[in-house]
Amino acid sequence: SEGRREVRETLLWDLAGQPGYRLIHQLHLNEVAVALVVFDARSETEPFSGVRHWDRALRQAQKIQASAAVPLKKYLVAARTDRGGIPVSRERIEATVRELGFDGYFETSAKEGLQIPELIKAIHEGIAWDGLPSVSSNQLFQTIKEFLIAEKEAGRLLSTADDLYRSFQQTHQALTNDKELRAKFDTCIGRVENRGLIRRLSFGGYILLQPELLDAYASAMVNAARSEPDGLGCIAEEDALVGRFKMPQDERVNNKDQEKLILIATVEELLRHEIVLKETTEKEIDLVFPSQFTRERPDMPNVPGKAVIFTFDGPVLNVYATLAVRLSRSSLFRKKEMWKNAASYEATVGGACGMYLRELEEGQGELTLFFEPDAIEATRYQFEDYVAIHLQRRALPDTVSRRRIFVCASCGVPVSDEQSQRRRERGFVEMSCPVCDAKISLLDREERVAAAVAARSSEVVATMDREADESRNRETAAMIIKGKIESGDYDVFMCHNSKDKPDVKAIGERLKEHGILPWLDESELAPGRRWRPKLEEVIKTIKSAAVFVGPDGVGPWQDMEQDALLHQLVERNCPVIPVILPGCAAKPAVPVFLQGVTWVDFRKLEPDPIKQLVWGITGEKKYPTI
């Protein structure tokens, strides 16, 4: 319409192609409109190295996004063609383009500019602009966006939203009369973040203006785990959080305080995406990367007890790593040992089982499940079902296949695939062992298992999923709490009678499990210090207060100092939540400023008082997941 114009932006992201970075980059393939899969035309080994991996990774990202995925065009690009042409035949190139569904092929030279204009044109024409989400904004939003991008391009790394807003006000004083300017500024931050240009951290109100730093630090941690001397694929959590690992100096943040916050955010990201497993040892807490073990299991690939083989396409290491982490986080399987591309688990219901991965080609994996003789039938059902469901979720659709290995229960001799297949084709459901003559059943598990057992296994798998999610949320929340402590980002002031301190402290620990940091005088003050000066400093930024009343019935507001501080929060329009502790005989009388406010009652089980308290602190009725 008149007076409006449309601005189209093309954002280019360079994802390093080295295998060590692939584990991280798989996490950032959302909303890709055009993909350039670049290969080295002069590679002396395999010029198409990585092409199949990226093709399958892109298809997997499209699958995960489902209907939210934007239309994707992908082009195969030969680089460095100025160095003597391409040693690959034209027929092979054309076959690869057809097989993998590329929308075009370009032979380029950055040095000489060969086919660069044509590639730029293909990028612009390949973006399905009408299929992309559009954002309508006025001139103010464009001004705020340009300010944020300018701050980013100026090299600013980490800042709070408050500091950025103050800088914006100073440079755009003519706009400060707008009473809704701060709200509009925060909205614009969210929009710029959605484009991947900045990242809001989970603590301190911080905004990372160079979000690629998270990838750089995460990749360095992955490489450090791979280089672990004993081949155990881990790095001590303390080393990760202080940056005690090898990393090019020009990629590191020079400001140590800022680097510490970025390191906390990086570990949080790894835990959230289930690339890493947190494990407590006698000496320390380790961050274990299941995909980075280099210690070999001696009997692989002929490990005894092989029972099922799955094949699948997709980002093989990501699929394997998340599976290994989620199995370890479920209460039904405890991690026993890990090796290079292999892991074993002890089942709580009885027996041990495991899996090992073999990469058949780039982007195609084979996962073999094995069971020790003491593994009971329930263990076998639950383990196999969980693996199958995980592969269906994480691998490419319609690529997961399952093949069962039949073994003589008496002497352990396996039946060949050809033998079992031909016997089944002739209608036989068993055969005699060629060694001991014992009968070997050729029925698949689905043919043998009773409906009741199958239903029970399905319930167990759902429980495992839920427990793995809860464990991930707790570990992620613990890292968020570290960031909040480091930045002094308290969520709630715990106002209480000193006689109720044990109950209040216990509730505070439960809040931390959900990423909420409470301020308690005892834990936040050095011995001998008065609490009021410190609290007056904290109260300027704290977001809420919880007022606890216990069996003694003496309200904290009867302390004049605490009452004055609570009034400050009320004046700032922060939620002040009254909480009844267990053992309180009746609903106590409250001061005027708390009358009419909904209570949280820990004397009742329903509604869950912790959920109610979290709701009051965060303002979000939906129970948050980390």
Side-chain angles (χ1 to χ4, degrees):
S1 62
E2 187 176 349
R4 293 192 177 188
R5 63 192 181 100
E6 184 177 71
V7 177
R8 293 179 171 180
E9 296 179 329
T10 305
L11 305 177
L12 301 178
W13 293 91
D14 178 16
L15 301 183
Q18 298 94 320
Y21 291 85
R22 291 176 182 174
L23 194 65
I24 307 301
H25 288 156
Q26 180 63 34
L27 308 177
H28 306 295
L29 294 177
N30 294 340
E31 298 185 0
V32 174
V34 174
L36 308 181
V37 180
V38 183
F39 68 94
D40 185 354
R42 297 306 305 164
S43 171
E44 296 179 359
T45 53
E46 174 49 60
F48 284 156
S49 176
V51 170
R52 292 185 182 275
H53 162 81
W54 287 111
D55 170 65
R56 285 170 168 141
L58 288 164
R59 286 195 284 145
Q60 171 67 359
Q62 293 287 102
K63 172 205 169 184
I64 291 174
Q65 295 172 86
S67 60
V70 301
L72 172 67
K73 292 281 188 180
K74 58 184 180 182
Y75 302 113
L76 184 63
V77 179
R80 304 202 302 174
T81 59
D82 58 282
R83 300 182 60 184
I86 301 175
V88 184
S89 69
R90 175 64 58 177
E91 291 76 14
R92 185 181 174 192
I93 291 173
E94 291 176 352
T96 301
V97 169
R98 285 195 305 271
E99 178 191 353
L100 302 183
F102 282 101
D103 296 290
Y105 168 64
F106 297 87
E107 296 178 355
T108 66
S109 165
K111 180 179 179 181
E112 298 182 358
L114 180 63
Q115 280 214 306
I116 298 300
E118 292 86 346
L119 183 56
I120 292 173
K121 181 180 178 183
I123 292 171
H124 284 300
E125 293 179 350
I127 300 175
W129 295 104
D130 292 339
L132 296 179
S134 60
V135 176
S136 298
S137 60
N138 54 28
Q139 184 57 44
L140 173 60
F141 273 81
Q142 187 64 26
T143 302
I144 296 172
K145 179 182 175 182
E146 289 171 355
F147 164 79
L148 292 171
I149 292 176
E151 291 289 300
K152 174 183 173 70
E153 292 177 346
R156 194 169 183 177
L157 299 181
L158 192 66
S159 179
T160 65
D162 290 341
D163 284 344
L164 283 172
Y165 179 64
R166 281 192 288 269
S167 296
F168 180 75
Q169 286 180 305
Q170 291 172 2
T171 55
H172 298 80
Q173 295 184 9
L175 301 174
T176 55
N177 292 329
D178 187 343
K179 294 181 180 179
E180 297 181 353
L181 182 61
R182 179 57 194 261
K184 294 173 181 176
F185 186 84
D186 291 339
T187 300
C188 191
I189 284 176
R191 290 185 178 180
V192 176
E193 181 184 33
N194 289 339
R195 304 310 302 154
L197 296 173
I198 61 177
R199 178 81 65 86
R200 283 179 290 194
L201 302 188
S202 303
F203 50 83
Y206 284 108
I207 295 171
L208 182 59
L209 293 157
Q210 313 292 338
E212 61 275 10
L213 285 170
L214 294 178
D215 284 0
Y217 277 99
S219 297
M221 291 180 194
V222 170
N223 291 332
R226 187 189 301 116
S227 303
E228 200 275 334
D230 295 325
L232 299 179
C234 65
I235 177 174
E237 183 184 67
E238 181 182 353
D239 290 345
L241 293 176
V242 299
R244 200 179 296 127
F245 48 79
K246 290 183 179 179
M247 185 176 180
Q249 194 59 43
D250 60 349
E251 294 182 12
R252 301 194 81 126
V253 174
N254 293 326
N255 184 306
K256 290 300 179 183
D257 291 334
Q258 289 190 339
E259 184 183 51
K260 190 168 186 178
L261 296 172
I262 292 170
L263 288 166
I264 292 172
T266 301
V267 175
E268 178 200 338
E269 184 101 337
L270 293 170
L271 290 167
R272 185 189 305 276
H273 289 289
E274 300 178 309
I275 290 173
V276 69
L277 177 67
K278 212 170 178 181
E279 187 173 82
T280 302
T281 67
E282 293 180 358
K283 296 193 306 179
E284 60 195 6
I285 297 175
D286 286 334
L287 299 177
V288 180
F289 292 80
S291 62
Q292 302 306 313
F293 275 70
T294 57
R295 181 172 61 108
E296 301 273 3
R297 175 165 170 151
D299 56 0
M300 284 181 60
N302 299 313
V303 57
K306 292 188 290 186
V308 184
I309 297 177
F310 289 95
T311 57
F312 63 95
D313 289 2
V316 174
L317 285 184
N318 291 77
V319 172
Y320 172 75
T322 53
L323 174 59
V325 168
R326 289 185 69 79
L327 281 166
S328 300
R329 281 174 167 167
S330 74
S331 63
L332 296 179
F333 291 96
R334 294 186 296 270
K335 182 177 78 69
K336 192 177 177 183
E337 284 192 87
M338 284 187 174
W339 305 268
K340 182 179 180 180
N341 293 341
S344 64
Y345 300 87
E346 195 76 41
T348 57
V349 295
C353 52
M355 60 183 180
Y356 70 83
L357 175 73
R358 188 163 67 97
E359 193 161 6
L360 302 178
E361 61 176 60
E362 282 196 330
Q364 186 176 65
E366 178 185 86
L367 193 66
T368 301
L369 309 190
F370 58 87
F371 299 93
E372 295 186 9
D374 60 348
I376 64 174
E377 198 78 344
T379 295
R380 297 168 186 262
Y381 291 161
Q382 293 161 10
F383 192 72
E384 182 180 334
D385 278 355
Y386 194 82
V387 171
I389 290 173
H390 181 87
L391 293 178
Q392 290 293 344
R393 290 174 179 166
R394 304 285 181 131
L396 282 172
D398 304 322
T399 68
V400 179
S401 65
R402 172 169 24 191
R403 177 167 58 87
R404 195 163 303 283
I405 301 172
F406 298 102
V407 179
C408 176
S410 298
C411 67
V413 171
V415 177
S416 72
D417 291 341
E418 184 178 5
Q419 287 175 323
S420 61
Q421 183 178 342
R422 291 197 174 188
R423 291 281 294 179
R424 288 302 303 264
E425 288 173 354
R426 286 166 172 75
F428 297 107
V429 295
E430 65 179 17
M431 65 177 287
S432 298
C433 174
V435 175
C436 69
D437 214 30
K439 293 298 182 183
I440 303 174
S441 172
L442 299 180
L443 292 174
D444 202 346
R445 197 204 80 175
E446 286 72 17
E447 297 170 305
R448 293 185 288 111
V449 65
V453 175
R456 171 60 181 154
S457 180
S458 179
E459 293 174 6
V460 169
V461 167
T463 300
M464 290 172 62
D465 249 351
R466 184 175 64 253
E467 290 172 343
D469 287 344
E470 291 172 353
S471 180
R472 175 199 61 209
N473 293 345
R474 285 194 298 270
E475 290 179 2
T476 306
M479 200 53 54
I480 291 173
I481 290 297
K482 284 183 181 291
K484 288 185 174 183
I485 291 173
E486 188 68 27
S487 56
D489 181 20
Y490 295 94
D491 293 292
V492 58
F493 167 47
M494 309 280 272
C495 185
H496 62 284
N497 187 310
S498 60
K499 296 179 182 179
D500 299 321
K501 192 174 292 293
D503 285 339
V504 174
K505 286 180 67 177
I507 292 171
E509 291 303 313
R510 292 181 66 186
L511 289 175
K512 288 180 181 180
E513 293 178 1
H514 303 287
I516 293 174
L517 181 61
W519 196 93
L520 276 167
D521 52 0
E522 181 181 88
S523 57
E524 311 306 333
L525 291 178
R529 303 286 181 89
R530 288 184 58 81
W531 63 266
R532 183 179 175 85
K534 174 65 176 177
L535 182 55
E536 285 181 335
E537 177 185 335
V538 171
I539 213 78
K540 297 175 183 176
T541 57
I542 206 159
K543 307 172 187 69
S544 63
V547 181
F548 294 87
V549 181
D552 290 296
V554 178
W557 49 82
Q558 292 180 323
D559 181 306
M560 292 180 62
E561 291 183 326
Q562 293 197 44
D563 183 52
L565 292 168
L566 289 174
H567 273 87
Q568 288 184 42
L569 286 170
V570 172
E571 289 172 4
R572 283 178 45 214
N573 203 29
C574 296
V576 177
I577 310 152
V579 181
I580 302 179
L581 292 169
C584 196
K587 185 174 178 179
V590 295
V592 174
F593 69 86
L594 281 181
Q595 290 179 5
V597 177
T598 304
W599 288 75
V600 174
D601 194 342
F602 273 84
R603 299 171 303 179
K604 301 176 181 179
L605 297 178
E606 292 293 337
D608 186 332
I610 280 291
K611 290 185 178 181
Q612 294 292 102
L613 186 53
V614 170
W615 177 13
I617 294 168
T618 63
E620 297 180 7
K621 185 172 183 180
K622 183 180 179 182
Y623 198 46
T625 55
I626 301 300

mmCIF file of all heavy atoms in Angstrom, residues 23-48:
data_model
loop_
_atom_site.group_PDB
_atom_site.id
_atom_site.type_symbol
_atom_site.label_atom_id
_atom_site.label_comp_id
_atom_site.label_asym_id
_atom_site.label_seq_id
_atom_site.Cartn_x
_atom_site.Cartn_y
_atom_site.Cartn_z
ATOM 1 N N LEU A 23 28.656 -32.030 14.834
ATOM 2 C CA LEU A 23 27.802 -32.332 15.978
ATOM 3 C C LEU A 23 27.067 -31.086 16.442
ATOM 4 O O LEU A 23 25.918 -31.151 16.890
ATOM 5 C CB LEU A 23 28.665 -32.893 17.115
ATOM 6 C CG LEU A 23 27.950 -33.568 18.280
ATOM 7 C CD1 LEU A 23 27.247 -34.834 17.820
ATOM 8 C CD2 LEU A 23 28.947 -33.899 19.384
ATOM 9 N N ILE A 24 27.711 -29.936 16.330
ATOM 10 C CA ILE A 24 27.137 -28.675 16.789
ATOM 11 C C ILE A 24 26.271 -28.035 15.716
ATOM 12 O O ILE A 24 25.165 -27.569 15.970
ATOM 13 C CB ILE A 24 28.253 -27.690 17.207
ATOM 14 C CG1 ILE A 24 29.196 -28.351 18.227
ATOM 15 C CG2 ILE A 24 27.650 -26.415 17.760
ATOM 16 C CD1 ILE A 24 28.501 -28.824 19.486
ATOM 17 N N HIS A 25 26.747 -28.042 14.476
ATOM 18 C CA HIS A 25 26.032 -27.324 13.420
ATOM 19 C C HIS A 25 24.696 -27.950 13.075
ATOM 20 O O HIS A 25 23.818 -27.275 12.528
ATOM 21 C CB HIS A 25 26.908 -27.232 12.170
ATOM 22 C CG HIS A 25 28.058 -26.282 12.337
ATOM 23 N ND1 HIS A 25 29.210 -26.369 11.605
ATOM 24 C CD2 HIS A 25 28.226 -25.229 13.177
ATOM 25 C CE1 HIS A 25 30.040 -25.405 11.968
ATOM 26 N NE2 HIS A 25 29.464 -24.704 12.925
ATOM 27 N N GLN A 26 24.511 -29.235 13.370
ATOM 28 C CA GLN A 26 23.217 -29.867 13.112
ATOM 29 C C GLN A 26 22.100 -29.169 13.886
ATOM 30 O O GLN A 26 20.933 -29.237 13.510
ATOM 31 C CB GLN A 26 23.276 -31.348 13.488
ATOM 32 C CG GLN A 26 21.986 -32.116 13.274
ATOM 33 C CD GLN A 26 21.565 -32.157 11.818
ATOM 34 O OE1 GLN A 26 22.406 -32.192 10.939
ATOM 35 N NE2 GLN A 26 20.267 -32.162 11.573
ATOM 36 N N LEU A 27 22.460 -28.467 14.967
ATOM 37 C CA LEU A 27 21.463 -27.806 15.810
ATOM 38 C C LEU A 27 20.958 -26.503 15.197
ATOM 39 O O LEU A 27 19.997 -25.931 15.689
ATOM 40 C CB LEU A 27 22.070 -27.508 17.192
ATOM 41 C CG LEU A 27 22.721 -28.687 17.913
ATOM 42 C CD1 LEU A 27 23.335 -28.214 19.213
ATOM 43 C CD2 LEU A 27 21.705 -29.790 18.159
ATOM 44 N N HIS A 28 21.612 -26.019 14.133
ATOM 45 C CA HIS A 28 21.311 -24.674 13.650
ATOM 46 C C HIS A 28 20.944 -24.663 12.169
ATOM 47 O O HIS A 28 21.383 -23.801 11.416
ATOM 48 C CB HIS A 28 22.511 -23.755 13.892
ATOM 49 C CG HIS A 28 22.973 -23.753 15.313
ATOM 50 N ND1 HIS A 28 22.198 -23.285 16.342
ATOM 51 C CD2 HIS A 28 24.125 -24.185 15.888
ATOM 52 C CE1 HIS A 28 22.854 -23.411 17.486
ATOM 53 N NE2 HIS A 28 24.021 -23.967 17.235
ATOM 54 N N LEU A 29 20.129 -25.618 11.769
ATOM 55 C CA LEU A 29 19.722 -25.681 10.366
ATOM 56 C C LEU A 29 18.245 -25.339 10.187
ATOM 57 O O LEU A 29 17.651 -25.684 9.174
ATOM 58 C CB LEU A 29 20.011 -27.083 9.802
ATOM 59 C CG LEU A 29 21.497 -27.461 9.702
ATOM 60 C CD1 LEU A 29 21.651 -28.884 9.200
ATOM 61 C CD2 LEU A 29 22.247 -26.497 8.797
ATOM 62 N N ASN A 30 17.662 -24.669 11.155
ATOM 63 C CA ASN A 30 16.261 -24.269 11.041
ATOM 64 C C ASN A 30 16.123 -23.075 10.095
ATOM 65 O O ASN A 30 17.010 -22.229 9.995
ATOM 66 C CB ASN A 30 15.690 -23.891 12.415
ATOM 67 C CG ASN A 30 15.623 -25.088 13.336
ATOM 68 O OD1 ASN A 30 15.636 -26.224 12.899
ATOM 69 N ND2 ASN A 30 15.571 -24.824 14.626
ATOM 70 N N GLU A 31 14.978 -23.012 9.429
ATOM 71 C CA GLU A 31 14.613 -21.877 8.584
ATOM 72 C C GLU A 31 15.639 -21.606 7.486
ATOM 73 O O GLU A 31 15.853 -20.450 7.097
ATOM 74 C CB GLU A 31 14.402 -20.621 9.438
ATOM 75 C CG GLU A 31 13.254 -20.767 10.434
ATOM 76 C CD GLU A 31 12.975 -19.479 11.184
ATOM 77 O OE1 GLU A 31 13.670 -18.478 10.941
ATOM 78 O OE2 GLU A 31 12.057 -19.475 12.013
ATOM 79 N N VAL A 32 16.281 -22.659 6.987
ATOM 80 C CA VAL A 32 17.212 -22.487 5.870
ATOM 81 C C VAL A 32 16.404 -22.424 4.576
ATOM 82 O O VAL A 32 15.619 -23.327 4.280
ATOM 83 C CB VAL A 32 18.225 -23.653 5.807
ATOM 84 C CG1 VAL A 32 19.093 -23.529 4.564
ATOM 85 C CG2 VAL A 32 19.081 -23.668 7.062
ATOM 86 N N ALA A 33 16.598 -21.373 3.803
ATOM 87 C CA ALA A 33 15.881 -21.215 2.531
ATOM 88 C C ALA A 33 16.723 -21.693 1.353
ATOM 89 O O ALA A 33 16.194 -22.241 0.380
ATOM 90 C CB ALA A 33 15.479 -19.755 2.324
ATOM 91 N N VAL A 34 18.034 -21.465 1.427
ATOM 92 C CA VAL A 34 18.957 -21.907 0.380
ATOM 93 C C VAL A 34 20.191 -22.492 1.047
ATOM 94 O O VAL A 34 20.730 -21.910 1.997
ATOM 95 C CB VAL A 34 19.371 -20.737 -0.546
ATOM 96 C CG1 VAL A 34 20.443 -21.196 -1.532
ATOM 97 C CG2 VAL A 34 18.170 -20.198 -1.298
ATOM 98 N N ALA A 35 20.632 -23.647 0.564
ATOM 99 C CA ALA A 35 21.833 -24.279 1.103
ATOM 100 C C ALA A 35 22.845 -24.454 -0.022
ATOM 101 O O ALA A 35 22.511 -24.977 -1.089
ATOM 102 C CB ALA A 35 21.495 -25.632 1.723
ATOM 103 N N LEU A 36 24.063 -24.017 0.225
ATOM 104 C CA LEU A 36 25.167 -24.221 -0.715
ATOM 105 C C LEU A 36 26.059 -25.306 -0.126
ATOM 106 O O LEU A 36 26.718 -25.090 0.899
ATOM 107 C CB LEU A 36 25.968 -22.930 -0.912
ATOM 108 C CG LEU A 36 25.181 -21.660 -1.283
ATOM 109 C CD1 LEU A 36 26.136 -20.487 -1.465
ATOM 110 C CD2 LEU A 36 24.348 -21.890 -2.533
ATOM 111 N N VAL A 37 26.060 -26.465 -0.727
ATOM 112 C CA VAL A 37 26.905 -27.571 -0.272
ATOM 113 C C VAL A 37 28.187 -27.509 -1.098
ATOM 114 O O VAL A 37 28.202 -27.846 -2.285
ATOM 115 C CB VAL A 37 26.189 -28.923 -0.438
ATOM 116 C CG1 VAL A 37 27.092 -30.056 0.036
ATOM 117 C CG2 VAL A 37 24.883 -28.922 0.346
ATOM 118 N N VAL A 38 29.249 -27.053 -0.447
ATOM 119 C CA VAL A 38 30.498 -26.762 -1.147
ATOM 120 C C VAL A 38 31.473 -27.922 -0.978
ATOM 121 O O VAL A 38 31.652 -28.437 0.129
ATOM 122 C CB VAL A 38 31.125 -25.463 -0.601
ATOM 123 C CG1 VAL A 38 32.396 -25.108 -1.369
ATOM 124 C CG2 VAL A 38 30.120 -24.317 -0.663
ATOM 125 N N PHE A 39 32.113 -28.333 -2.081
ATOM 126 C CA PHE A 39 33.159 -29.348 -1.983
ATOM 127 C C PHE A 39 34.425 -28.825 -2.654
ATOM 128 O O PHE A 39 34.381 -27.936 -3.514
ATOM 129 C CB PHE A 39 32.712 -30.679 -2.604
ATOM 130 C CG PHE A 39 32.539 -30.668 -4.102
ATOM 131 C CD1 PHE A 39 33.571 -31.067 -4.953
ATOM 132 C CD2 PHE A 39 31.328 -30.271 -4.672
ATOM 133 C CE1 PHE A 39 33.408 -31.062 -6.321
ATOM 134 C CE2 PHE A 39 31.157 -30.273 -6.045
ATOM 135 C CZ PHE A 39 32.207 -30.667 -6.881
ATOM 136 N N ASP A 40 35.548 -29.379 -2.228
ATOM 137 C CA ASP A 40 36.847 -28.934 -2.716
ATOM 138 C C ASP A 40 37.153 -29.642 -4.033
ATOM 139 O O ASP A 40 37.411 -30.851 -4.058
ATOM 140 C CB ASP A 40 37.924 -29.247 -1.680
ATOM 141 C CG ASP A 40 39.286 -28.690 -2.082
ATOM 142 O OD1 ASP A 40 39.410 -28.176 -3.209
ATOM 143 O OD2 ASP A 40 40.220 -28.773 -1.259
ATOM 144 N N ALA A 41 37.127 -28.912 -5.111
ATOM 145 C CA ALA A 41 37.324 -29.506 -6.438
ATOM 146 C C ALA A 41 38.700 -30.121 -6.605
ATOM 147 O O ALA A 41 38.903 -30.997 -7.450
ATOM 148 C CB ALA A 41 37.089 -28.443 -7.517
ATOM 149 N N ARG A 42 39.688 -29.676 -5.818
ATOM 150 C CA ARG A 42 41.042 -30.178 -5.985
ATOM 151 C C ARG A 42 41.457 -31.130 -4.876
ATOM 152 O O ARG A 42 42.643 -31.385 -4.672
ATOM 153 C CB ARG A 42 42.040 -29.003 -6.031
ATOM 154 C CG ARG A 42 41.834 -28.062 -7.207
ATOM 155 C CD ARG A 42 41.828 -28.803 -8.528
ATOM 156 N NE ARG A 42 43.034 -29.603 -8.704
ATOM 157 C CZ ARG A 42 43.176 -30.577 -9.587
ATOM 158 N NH1 ARG A 42 42.160 -30.913 -10.362
ATOM 159 N NH2 ARG A 42 44.316 -31.231 -9.682
ATOM 160 N N SER A 43 40.499 -31.672 -4.142
ATOM 161 C CA SER A 43 40.832 -32.631 -3.089
ATOM 162 C C SER A 43 41.520 -33.849 -3.692
ATOM 163 O O SER A 43 41.059 -34.419 -4.686
ATOM 164 C CB SER A 43 39.563 -33.074 -2.350
ATOM 165 O OG SER A 43 39.854 -34.141 -1.473
ATOM 166 N N GLU A 44 42.624 -34.249 -3.105
ATOM 167 C CA GLU A 44 43.378 -35.392 -3.623
ATOM 168 C C GLU A 44 42.831 -36.720 -3.117
ATOM 169 O O GLU A 44 43.249 -37.779 -3.570
ATOM 170 C CB GLU A 44 44.849 -35.247 -3.228
ATOM 171 C CG GLU A 44 45.529 -34.019 -3.851
ATOM 172 C CD GLU A 44 46.971 -33.890 -3.430
ATOM 173 O OE1 GLU A 44 47.419 -34.752 -2.632
ATOM 174 O OE2 GLU A 44 47.646 -32.948 -3.876
ATOM 175 N N THR A 45 41.924 -36.660 -2.153
ATOM 176 C CA THR A 45 41.372 -37.904 -1.601
ATOM 177 C C THR A 45 39.968 -38.138 -2.125
ATOM 178 O O THR A 45 39.765 -38.920 -3.037
ATOM 179 C CB THR A 45 41.404 -37.862 -0.065
ATOM 180 O OG1 THR A 45 40.748 -36.652 0.376
ATOM 181 C CG2 THR A 45 42.833 -37.881 0.453
ATOM 182 N N GLU A 46 38.990 -37.432 -1.538
ATOM 183 C CA GLU A 46 37.595 -37.626 -1.943
ATOM 184 C C GLU A 46 36.938 -36.258 -2.094
ATOM 185 O O GLU A 46 36.563 -35.623 -1.105
ATOM 186 C CB GLU A 46 36.855 -38.470 -0.906
ATOM 187 C CG GLU A 46 35.357 -38.614 -1.154
ATOM 188 C CD GLU A 46 35.030 -39.028 -2.600
ATOM 189 O OE1 GLU A 46 35.494 -40.112 -3.020
ATOM 190 O OE2 GLU A 46 34.333 -38.268 -3.296
ATOM 191 N N PRO A 47 36.798 -35.770 -3.330
ATOM 192 C CA PRO A 47 36.260 -34.412 -3.519
ATOM 193 C C PRO A 47 34.840 -34.252 -2.997
ATOM 194 O O PRO A 47 34.452 -33.151 -2.604
ATOM 195 C CB PRO A 47 36.322 -34.223 -5.039
ATOM 196 C CG PRO A 47 36.403 -35.594 -5.608
ATOM 197 C CD PRO A 47 37.152 -36.415 -4.602
ATOM 198 N N PHE A 48 34.045 -35.320 -2.999
ATOM 199 C CA PHE A 48 32.665 -35.216 -2.534
ATOM 200 C C PHE A 48 32.535 -35.457 -1.026
ATOM 201 O O PHE A 48 31.434 -35.687 -0.533
ATOM 202 C CB PHE A 48 31.774 -36.213 -3.284
ATOM 203 C CG PHE A 48 31.446 -35.780 -4.682
ATOM 204 C CD1 PHE A 48 31.105 -36.705 -5.649
ATOM 205 C CD2 PHE A 48 31.480 -34.442 -5.034
ATOM 206 C CE1 PHE A 48 30.790 -36.301 -6.942
ATOM 207 C CE2 PHE A 48 31.174 -34.026 -6.323
ATOM 208 C CZ PHE A 48 30.835 -34.954 -7.280
#
